[in-house]
Amino acid sequence: MSTTERPRILVVGGGYVGLYAAKRIMKKMRYGEATVTVVDPRSYMTYQPFLPEVAAGSISPRHVVVPLRRVLPKAEVLTGRVTNIDQDRKVAVVTPLVGEAYELPFDYLVIALGAISRTFPIPGLAEQGIGMKGVEEGIGLRNHVLEQLDKAESTTDEDVRRKALTFVFVGGGFAGAETIGEVEDMARDAAKYYSSIKREDMRFILVDAADKILPEVGPKLGTWGKEHLESRGIEIYLNTSMDSCVDGHVVLKNGLEVDSSTLVWTAGVKPNPVLARYGLPLGPRGHVDAEPTLQVKGTDYIWTAGDNAQVPDLAARKAGVENAWCPPNAQHALRQAKVLGDNVISGMRGFPQAPYSHSNKGAVAGLGLHKGVAMIVMGKVKIKLKGRLAWYMHRGYHGMAMPTWNRKIRVFADWTLAMFLKREVVSLGALETPREEFYEAAKPAPAPAAVAAAPAQKAKAS
């Protein structure tokens, strides 16, 4: 970390908003006008809409992450967490990955922490659940599912086999529906390489407490999406929730009980709870309360946007929707980040702030290879698409929304190669414990006394 006499713009969080806001600020900033510092526990930004395709092996995991230091070469990038903020002194407490925490002074502050998985105190969830917020979870889910197929192929125990081939997904929004669609597609392909496993042997279950799935694309497309998934043998239970999942024994409110080795949790998100320690005004659900200009209410040097912010949706309110707030999606995050960056520069120079207003352009979702739903809004006209054409819209939109041309090209290259080459169905579960085999080979041999005592103890026990 460098010391500077120039004003410091501290960006807390290196996700979608943090990355694009920092890029915008540095683009608009005069040379030497300020120092931009980005603090995040990871040194990269993850494009979350592609995590289902990472879990299915359609995109290489490295291609959905953007290295912060490469994209922001003129910024300070600190790998750590901002654990506290003293607004009176304008000082943030940074806890690095290693070493002691330290204070970092700032002049302007951007809060872009994003959101974390929204969970409930359900017995067994912490031990059994797999989230879908980070690229590590996408990789882990893919390896885990393929390992279950390996396990089912190798065992003669029917109970173990049945548990391994049962996959439960909780949450029917974009993340849940897209993930179960992609993973079921992958498992269906993978089953061709197993002599004793067919798709009919697997059981995929999707659970949601609401009365529909994919609410973002409207009721008609949501209904089509549900019927499509059910036509592929996926069981969908609406208006229900999960009571417990201890040791993989899943109990639902509707009375259904199944044993499953795979529980994927995508039941919504909530703002990062560390926000409560920053002394900022929060809304009823824990979001930072923001003005239409993306300034935090009651301040003139703090801005916020994205999933951790409660931003008035001016376009929806103009259309007559009272108390409308911007939903937590990439469409708003990208556009908010640009307005936020411009407003930080304006604030530094004493110019007026611009309000954020954006009309919804629609939503797209992929449900596996060549399958999807899309709602495109063009003025007052809503175009609804389903099937292969919607899938093309999904890939086209997110492919172009992927940050940096470097990553865009790599993602499109992955898709192009997949048109000619078969999907990889190899599990690399050992990635999670890469030193285990070496440790077994290198660990010290037992002492001679211990080796001699072992037979004696065995004889005594018998």
Coordinates of all heavy atoms in Angstrom, one line a residue, residues 5-9 25 28-35 108 344-346 348-349:
E5 N -0.4 12.1 -0.8 CA -1.0 13.3 -0.3 C -2.3 13.7 -1.1 O -3.0 14.6 -0.8 CB 0.0 14.4 -0.3 CG 1.2 14.3 0.7 CD 2.1 15.4 0.7 OE1 1.9 16.4 -0.2 OE2 3.1 15.4 1.4
R6 N -2.5 12.9 -2.2 CA -3.6 13.2 -3.0 C -4.9 12.7 -2.3 O -4.8 11.8 -1.5 CB -3.5 12.5 -4.4 CG -2.4 13.1 -5.2 CD -2.2 12.3 -6.5 NE -1.7 11.0 -6.3 CZ -1.5 10.1 -7.3 NH1 -1.7 10.4 -8.5 NH2 -1.0 8.9 -7.0
P7 N -6.1 13.2 -2.6 CA -7.3 12.6 -2.1 C -7.4 11.2 -2.4 O -7.0 10.7 -3.5 CB -8.4 13.5 -2.7 CG -7.7 14.7 -3.2 CD -6.3 14.3 -3.6
R8 N -7.9 10.4 -1.5 CA -8.1 8.9 -1.8 C -9.6 8.6 -1.9 O -10.4 9.0 -1.1 CB -7.5 8.1 -0.6 CG -7.9 6.6 -0.8 CD -7.2 5.7 0.3 NE -5.9 5.3 -0.1 CZ -4.8 5.6 0.5 NH1 -4.9 6.4 1.6 NH2 -3.6 5.2 0.1
I9 N -9.9 7.9 -3.0 CA -11.2 7.4 -3.2 C -11.2 5.9 -2.9 O -10.5 5.1 -3.6 CB -11.7 7.6 -4.7 CG1 -11.6 9.0 -5.1 CG2 -13.1 7.0 -4.9 CD1 -11.8 9.3 -6.6
I25 N -14.2 6.0 -12.8 CA -13.5 7.1 -12.1 C -12.2 7.3 -12.7 O -11.8 8.5 -12.9 CB -13.4 6.7 -10.6 CG1 -14.8 6.8 -9.9 CG2 -12.5 7.7 -9.8 CD1 -14.8 6.2 -8.5
K28 N -12.4 9.1 -16.1 CA -12.8 10.5 -16.0 C -11.8 11.4 -15.2 O -11.9 12.6 -15.4 CB -14.2 10.6 -15.4 CG -15.3 9.8 -16.1 CD -15.8 10.7 -17.3 CE -17.0 10.0 -18.0 NZ -17.6 10.9 -19.0
M29 N -11.0 10.8 -14.4 CA -10.1 11.5 -13.5 C -8.9 12.2 -14.3 O -8.4 11.5 -15.2 CB -9.6 10.6 -12.4 CG -9.0 11.2 -11.2 SD -8.8 10.0 -9.9 CE -7.7 8.8 -10.7
R30 N -8.6 13.4 -13.9 CA -7.3 14.0 -14.4 C -6.1 13.3 -13.8 O -6.2 12.8 -12.7 CB -7.3 15.5 -14.1 CG -8.5 16.3 -14.6 CD -8.3 17.8 -14.5 NE -9.5 18.5 -14.7 CZ -10.3 19.0 -13.7 NH1 -9.9 18.9 -12.5 NH2 -11.4 19.7 -14.0
Y31 N -5.0 13.4 -14.5 CA -3.8 12.8 -14.0 C -3.4 13.4 -12.6 O -3.3 14.6 -12.5 CB -2.6 13.0 -15.0 CG -1.3 12.4 -14.5 CD1 -1.1 11.1 -14.6 CD2 -0.3 13.3 -14.0 CE1 0.1 10.5 -14.1 CE2 0.9 12.7 -13.5 CZ 1.1 11.4 -13.6 OH 2.3 10.8 -13.1
G32 N -3.2 12.5 -11.7 CA -2.8 12.9 -10.3 C -3.9 13.6 -9.5 O -3.6 14.1 -8.4
E33 N -5.1 13.5 -10.0 CA -6.2 14.2 -9.2 C -6.5 13.4 -8.0 O -6.9 14.1 -7.0 CB -7.4 14.3 -10.1 CG -8.6 15.1 -9.5 CD -9.7 15.3 -10.5 OE1 -9.7 14.8 -11.6 OE2 -10.6 16.1 -10.2
A34 N -6.4 12.1 -7.9 CA -6.8 11.4 -6.7 C -6.2 10.0 -6.8 O -5.7 9.5 -7.9 CB -8.3 11.2 -6.6
T35 N -6.1 9.3 -5.7 CA -5.7 7.9 -5.7 C -6.9 7.0 -5.5 O -7.8 7.3 -4.6 CB -4.7 7.6 -4.5 OG1 -3.6 8.4 -4.7 CG2 -4.4 6.2 -4.4
Y108 N -13.1 10.1 0.0 CA -14.4 9.7 -0.7 C -14.5 8.2 -0.6 O -13.5 7.5 -0.7 CB -14.4 10.2 -2.1 CG -14.1 11.7 -2.3 CD1 -12.9 12.1 -2.6 CD2 -15.1 12.6 -2.1 CE1 -12.6 13.5 -2.7 CE2 -14.9 14.0 -2.2 CZ -13.6 14.4 -2.5 OH -13.4 15.8 -2.6
V344 N -19.0 10.6 -8.5 CA -17.8 10.7 -7.6 C -16.9 11.8 -8.1 O -16.4 12.7 -7.4 CB -17.0 9.4 -7.5 CG1 -15.7 9.6 -6.8 CG2 -17.9 8.4 -6.7
I345 N -16.7 11.8 -9.4 CA -15.9 12.9 -10.1 C -16.5 14.2 -9.9 O -15.9 15.2 -9.6 CB -15.6 12.6 -11.6 CG1 -14.8 11.3 -11.7 CG2 -14.9 13.7 -12.2 CD1 -13.4 11.4 -11.2
S346 N -17.8 14.3 -10.1 CA -18.6 15.6 -10.0 C -18.5 16.0 -8.5 O -18.3 17.2 -8.3 CB -20.0 15.4 -10.4 OG -20.1 15.0 -11.7
M348 N -16.1 15.4 -6.3 CA -14.8 15.9 -6.1 C -14.6 17.3 -6.6 O -13.9 18.2 -5.9 CB -13.7 15.0 -6.7 CG -13.5 13.7 -6.1 SD -12.4 12.6 -7.1 CE -11.0 13.7 -7.2
R349 N -15.2 17.6 -7.7 CA -15.0 18.9 -8.3 C -16.1 20.0 -7.9 O -16.1 21.1 -8.4 CB -15.0 18.8 -9.8 CG -13.8 17.9 -10.3 CD -13.9 17.6 -11.8 NE -12.8 16.7 -12.2 CZ -12.8 16.1 -13.4 NH1 -13.7 16.3 -14.3 NH2 -11.8 15.3 -13.7

